[in-house]
Amino acid sequence: MRKILSVIMSLIMTFTCLAPLSFSASAATYAQQLKNAGFPDSYINSLVSLHNKYPNWTFTPFKTGLNWNTAVSGERSSHSNQIIETSGRTSDYFCNCSSCKNKVPYANCKVASAWAVQYYMDPRNFLDEKHVFQFESNKYSSSQTQSGVEAIIASTWMKNANISYYNTSGTKVTYKDSGGNAVKYSKAIMEAGKNSGLSPYFLASRIVKEVGTTNTDNVSGTSGKKTPFNGIYNYYSIGATSGGMSGLEWASGYLKPNATATIYSSYDSANKKGSGYSASIGTSQGLVYISIYGDYYKVRLYNSNYKTASVTGTDSNKNKKSFSVGYIHKDKVRTKYFNYNRPWITPYRTIYGGAAYIGATYKYQYTNYLQKFNVNKDSNNLYSHEYMQNIDAPSKESESIYKAYSKANVLKSARTFYIPVYSSMPASTKTPESTNDFGKVMNMRIHKNTPTTITVAWNTQTSSDGYYVYTYNPSTTAKTRIATIKSPYTNAYTNVNLKPGTFHYYIVEAYKGKTVGEQSAILTAITTPKKINHKSLTSPSSGRLKASWNKVHGANGYQIKYSRNSKFTRVVAKKSLSSKYASYTGKGFNRGVTYYVKVRGYKKIGNKKYYGPWSKVRKVKCK
């Protein structure tokens, strides 16, 4: 009996000792596999930990063939004002990152330091389960499900909803497929993924990032109600280089006449041709597709400022009429940009066509990381052609994807991650907050000005404690501190109680503790002229309108605007005049028509005009 017990105890001890060795050997084996594949030692521990928790995940080194410092320098040079964070959707804002797809407002962006670029480029800082998804392959997988897409879009108007939208005529309708069945947003995303070869989860995450909200009326790309692009949609904010409206123009397909062409106010369905009043338009005239009538496009006219435009047409009796919606023959317009299902006149079209565009255009940038940091030599666009703008966008989107996968209970599914590897990488990279990397405040500019206020703004220095704001006297070269800002992210200041039409000069310095960085360049700024007293508006003779006003101090000139309605949605003319004028008589207006007129002053710095508030609107019927 003792012998049997001895054997049993011996076996127990043996297995007890072997168990941890077996696990250790397994981890060591996997670690060696990672090394053999090409991962440096500094990647191994994090990847082994992820593998232990998610054994179905596959990690593949993306061997960039780039030196680390060269890659960081390339990214910084290509995007001299890398954005670290914005206050909202990228398509709504403005910033001077010239090669970024989208732009953000100066007062709402945090410009990254050199240390921040290194930190967010270093894959080793994001090899945890919440942030690793920036390296997940964006390629289509049949294992992805519609329920998984629903989990990603759960916080938006698309949640478990059929596609509903405003068409180009302004009527709200439900989208239906060829069989007459309503289509859910999640199904459209699944179909778009399969067609484009892109992951439906990636597409859903991108849409949520760009336009995700519970209220589509607040977003240019999803409302369908943004005049002049009524009924046009852009869920991915593609082409939004200067805001949401430029993205809608891209989605509309840049429709324009291919030569001087005739546009008609009506369509004769019996004779199948344009009729009514006709006008001639040139190749620069913007057109927005509304519908098709035989061989004609029904279109809306717009100008370079994305405002509805109009033309004055003449009928067979030489009567005249202005119109902003008309009919133009298909042969007379340029449709070369009617690709990828453009114009995107339904949400389905933008989801499906946009996915096809991203799949074709970003073929070599098949992870979120690569769409922010293009370090794939095969793309022939190193450090450029980057879809994402925010430097931290890959990690932020990764967090959203993690939450969606977790909610959908699909985290443990098989996945492939392509993780960049560089040569000569440092042992580690510091977080942006852990450095003293600050110096000269850059990019001073006028963010906003009124007759009595000036708001100045500058690029943030995230590692500073804040800023000192000074006024500057060019005559004495003296500067006077007017504000101390105690936050590195408050990168704007408003100077109040100023006189209209006057010049002011500003300097800003960043500080950290008692250390002060190099002062900014001197910014020359002005207050705009005050509101003008629009004294009178008359029609002294046939076809003429005379506006009179009081001159205002500090104005370099005046602008007059004419409209056929009080809201100025139908502007028919505008005129700029020098400051010597206090009245102006315009010619060529239509007899018997009531016109509305307003005036404002402007002040110039170089070639840029800063306009004051509009005067009171006056109206008169033209003789």
Side-chain angles (χ1 to χ4, degrees):
M1 182 61 119
R2 284 184 178 179
K3 188 173 183 179
I4 294 172
L5 288 173
S6 177
V7 171
I8 292 172
M9 290 299 294
S10 177
L11 289 172
I12 291 172
M13 291 178 67
T14 300
F15 282 117
T16 302
C17 292
L18 285 177
L21 289 175
S22 176
F23 173 81
S24 178
S26 175
T29 301
Y30 187 69
Q32 191 59 50
Q33 290 175 7
L34 294 171
K35 291 181 182 180
N36 293 342
F39 281 113
D41 289 344
S42 55
Y43 286 66
I44 302 302
N45 288 342
S46 297
L47 294 179
V48 168
S49 295
L50 286 172
H51 172 73
N52 289 340
K53 189 169 184 178
Y54 301 104
N56 291 325
W57 290 6
T58 300
F59 303 109
T60 301
F62 175 71
K63 299 174 183 178
T64 65
L66 299 172
N67 174 275
W68 169 252
N69 290 330
T70 300
V72 171
S73 177
E75 277 293 331
R76 292 195 66 213
S77 298
S78 181
H79 302 272
S80 58
N81 287 313
Q82 289 273 11
I83 306 305
I84 193 171
E85 183 179 317
T86 67
S87 61
R89 290 177 301 275
T90 54
S91 60
D92 291 341
Y93 305 109
F94 302 90
C95 179
N96 79 338
C97 177
S98 59
S99 55
C100 292
K101 181 186 74 68
N102 294 315
K103 302 184 178 182
V104 297
Y106 294 125
N108 292 303
C109 68
K110 305 173 187 176
V111 179
S113 67
W115 287 107
V117 175
Q118 292 188 58
Y119 177 79
Y120 285 104
M121 279 190 71
D122 190 341
R124 298 169 301 180
N125 293 325
F126 303 98
L127 298 181
D128 60 78
E129 63 180 326
K130 288 188 178 180
H131 298 100
V132 73
F133 292 101
Q134 62 186 285
F135 310 113
E136 184 184 10
S137 170
N138 289 339
K139 298 174 183 178
Y140 176 79
S141 170
S142 59
S143 65
Q144 295 174 328
T145 64
Q146 190 171 337
S147 61
V149 171
E150 283 289 353
I152 295 172
I153 63 176
S155 64
T156 74
W157 80 97
M158 298 180 287
K159 177 184 178 182
N160 200 31
N162 292 325
I163 297 176
S164 177
Y165 66 101
Y166 290 94
N167 63 22
T168 55
S169 298
T171 302
K172 193 164 189 178
V173 296
T174 297
Y175 179 82
K176 295 183 178 180
D177 61 19
S178 57
N181 303 307
V183 177
K184 286 187 175 181
Y185 288 98
S186 55
K187 183 180 180 182
I189 293 170
M190 289 295 295
E191 292 175 352
K194 187 174 183 179
N195 174 71
S196 64
L198 293 175
S199 157
Y201 294 173
F202 159 71
L203 295 175
S205 299
R206 180 55 48 82
I207 292 171
V208 172
K209 174 68 175 177
E210 292 294 341
V211 296
T213 177
T214 55
N215 186 355
T216 60
D217 289 346
N218 294 332
V219 185
S220 296
T222 61
S223 71
K225 297 191 291 185
K226 296 294 182 181
T227 303
F229 301 106
N230 304 72
I232 302 295
Y233 299 85
N234 191 344
Y235 279 19
Y236 302 101
S237 295
I238 298 171
T241 55
S242 60
M245 295 299 279
S246 62
L248 290 177
E249 183 179 40
W250 193 97
S252 71
Y254 298 118
L255 189 64
K256 290 185 177 182
N258 53 28
T260 301
T262 300
I263 188 167
Y264 300 90
S265 63
S266 305
Y267 178 75
D268 184 342
S269 56
N271 295 311
K272 298 183 179 179
K273 64 179 183 178
S275 62
Y277 296 85
S278 63
S280 180
I281 55 176
T283 56
S284 62
Q285 177 62 61
L287 307 172
V288 183
Y289 172 93
I290 297 177
S291 57
I292 295 176
Y293 285 74
D295 291 330
Y296 287 76
Y297 284 130
K298 183 179 181 181
V299 297
R300 181 177 292 104
L301 287 72
Y302 70 95
N303 60 29
S304 58
N305 294 322
Y306 305 128
K307 301 294 184 182
T308 300
S310 62
V311 293
T312 300
T314 306
D315 65 9
S316 57
N317 296 319
K318 297 186 178 181
N319 295 316
K320 293 184 177 182
K321 178 183 178 181
S322 294
F323 56 94
S324 58
V325 173
Y327 301 79
I328 185 169
H329 199 279
K330 292 179 182 178
D331 291 343
K332 300 297 183 181
V333 292
R334 179 189 72 180
T335 57
K336 65 179 289 187
Y337 298 107
F338 274 21
N339 52 3
Y340 300 107
N341 282 9
R342 287 186 286 176
W344 290 343
I345 56 174
T346 70
Y348 189 93
R349 279 199 181 195
T350 186
I351 292 170
Y352 197 87
Y357 172 82
I358 295 170
T361 307
Y362 295 89
K363 178 180 178 181
Y364 297 99
Q365 293 161 264
Y366 41 80
T367 67
N368 281 349
Y369 180 95
L370 290 174
Q371 290 196 6
K372 173 56 207 164
F373 304 112
N374 186 8
V375 290
N376 189 343
K377 291 180 178 180
D378 291 340
S379 70
N380 295 318
N381 287 292
L382 274 178
Y383 320 125
S384 62
H385 189 257
E386 294 171 353
Y387 188 97
M388 293 184 176
Q389 169 193 282
N390 290 15
I391 195 173
D392 61 346
S395 62
K396 295 292 186 184
E397 287 201 21
S398 184
E399 291 175 3
S400 298
I401 294 170
Y402 169 80
K403 290 178 183 177
Y405 285 176
S406 180
K407 187 175 181 179
N409 198 29
V410 294
L411 273 174
K412 295 184 179 180
S413 301
R415 308 186 183 285
T416 300
F417 300 86
Y418 294 97
I419 304 172
V421 172
Y422 303 86
S423 64
S424 302
M425 295 184 74
S428 63
T429 49
K430 301 177 182 178
T431 63
E433 292 77 16
S434 67
T435 73
N436 291 322
D437 179 36
F438 76 100
K440 183 176 181 178
V441 170
M442 302 296 290
N443 202 18
M444 290 284 291
R445 64 265 181 188
I446 302 171
H447 181 63
K448 184 179 180 181
N449 52 354
T450 72
T452 59
T453 68
I454 294 174
T455 300
V456 296
W458 54 89
N459 288 358
T460 56
Q461 298 215 11
T462 57
S463 57
S464 71
D465 288 337
Y467 310 93
Y468 298 132
V469 182
Y470 302 86
T471 56
Y472 174 77
N473 187 325
S475 299
T476 64
T477 69
K479 62 182 185 181
T480 303
R481 188 187 299 181
I482 58 174
T484 298
I485 297 174
K486 298 181 179 180
S487 169
Y489 300 127
T490 303
N491 61 330
Y493 174 76
T494 301
N495 199 10
V496 299
N497 299 324
L498 306 175
K499 293 183 179 180
T502 54
F503 283 88
H504 301 268
Y505 306 87
Y506 299 93
I507 290 171
V508 174
E509 296 172 345
Y511 70 87
K512 188 173 185 67
K514 295 182 179 180
T515 304
V516 179
E518 182 181 354
Q519 73 176 34
S520 69
I522 299 167
L523 173 68
T524 301
I526 53 172
T527 51
T528 62
K530 68 179 182 180
K531 187 174 181 177
I532 287 175
N533 176 22
H534 186 184
K535 295 192 300 184
S536 64
L537 177 66
T538 61
S539 179
S541 59
S542 178
R544 300 191 177 200
L545 301 177
K546 182 180 180 180
S548 299
W549 59 90
N550 289 336
K551 292 184 178 182
V552 295
H553 174 75
N556 295 129
Y558 304 97
Q559 185 186 58
I560 312 173
K561 190 171 284 189
Y562 304 82
S563 175
R564 288 196 174 194
N565 59 48
S566 60
K567 293 184 179 180
F568 284 77
T569 56
R570 295 188 61 192
V571 174
V572 295
K574 58 184 177 181
K575 178 72 176 179
S576 292
L577 303 162
S578 72
S579 59
K580 70 179 182 180
Y581 286 86
S583 66
Y584 178 74
T585 302
K587 305 175 184 179
F589 295 97
N590 293 335
R591 296 175 58 188
V593 174
T594 296
Y595 289 92
Y596 298 79
V597 178
K598 57 185 178 180
V599 188
R600 63 180 175 178
Y602 64 81
K603 189 83 172 177
K604 290 180 68 175
I605 295 181
N607 293 322
K608 185 172 178 60
K609 295 177 180 178
Y610 293 90
Y611 291 96
W614 285 108
S615 69
K616 176 181 179 180
V617 176
R618 294 192 178 275
K619 67 177 181 178
V620 69
K621 180 179 286 188
C622 186
K623 292 182 180 179

